Amino acid sequence: MYGVVEISGHQYQVKAGDLIDVQKLENAEGSDVTLDKVLFIGGENLAVGTPLVKGASVTARVIKSDRSRKLLVLKRKPGMYKKKKGHRQHYTSLLVTEITDGQGNSDKLDSKSPLVKKYLKK
């Protein structure tokens, strides 16, 4: 089962076990986030939202919040000057742990997955 969710105005196709980078969220590392803006559920039972699928949700764990690599922006005017700037975008890494559609079906992260051992230590 997979789903299409909207996070901060962007749409992401996710399934249980995916590690995605989204724009910075204000949640603490290690906390769980419930994403209720589910636009589509795919798999055996399809559900298309108008605009959202009722009762569907995606649960994810915040892995880290960081800044991406530096992008250099060069601005040059002939004969005048050259200006060099850098930009680093803030992002949050999410590990999708569970997807539920509005009909009682759910897909969870497998406990034997290497992502569980790496990120969900208890």
Side-chain angles (χ1 to χ4, degrees):
M1 177 186 310
Y2 67 95
V4 176
V5 296
E6 181 182 342
I7 306 169
S8 301
H10 298 279
Q11 295 177 6
Y12 299 92
Q13 179 179 342
V14 297
K15 61 182 180 184
D18 280 353
L19 190 62
I20 59 172
D21 293 336
V22 299
Q23 284 188 357
K24 186 177 181 187
L25 301 175
E26 296 299 326
N27 299 66
E29 291 183 15
S31 65
D32 288 332
V33 178
T34 302
L35 308 170
D36 294 329
K37 292 186 177 182
V38 180
L39 306 172
F40 179 80
I41 296 289
E44 293 180 13
N45 300 325
L46 296 177
V48 179
T50 55
L52 303 176
V53 178
K54 291 187 180 184
S57 66
V58 173
T59 305
R61 172 82 46 100
V62 176
I63 301 300
K64 68 176 179 176
S65 293
D66 204 1
R67 293 171 68 185
S68 62
R69 66 183 185 86
K70 184 175 254 188
L71 297 176
L72 295 178
V73 179
L74 296 172
K75 188 181 266 189
R76 183 171 187 266
K77 292 192 177 181
M80 303 261 316
Y81 65 92
K82 181 170 61 172
K83 193 171 194 178
K84 180 176 168 183
K85 281 188 167 182
H87 175 75
R88 295 182 70 185
Q89 185 71 31
H90 293 272
Y91 72 94
T92 300
S93 290
L94 298 176
L95 176 64
V96 179
T97 56
E98 182 179 7
I99 297 176
T100 59
D101 59 1
Q103 303 164 357
N105 301 325
S106 67
D107 188 18
K108 293 185 179 183
L109 178 63
D110 186 19
S111 62
K112 296 178 183 176
S113 171
L115 293 174
V116 171
K117 294 176 185 174
K118 185 173 182 180
Y119 296 117
L120 302 180
K121 302 172 191 168
K122 292 187 179 184

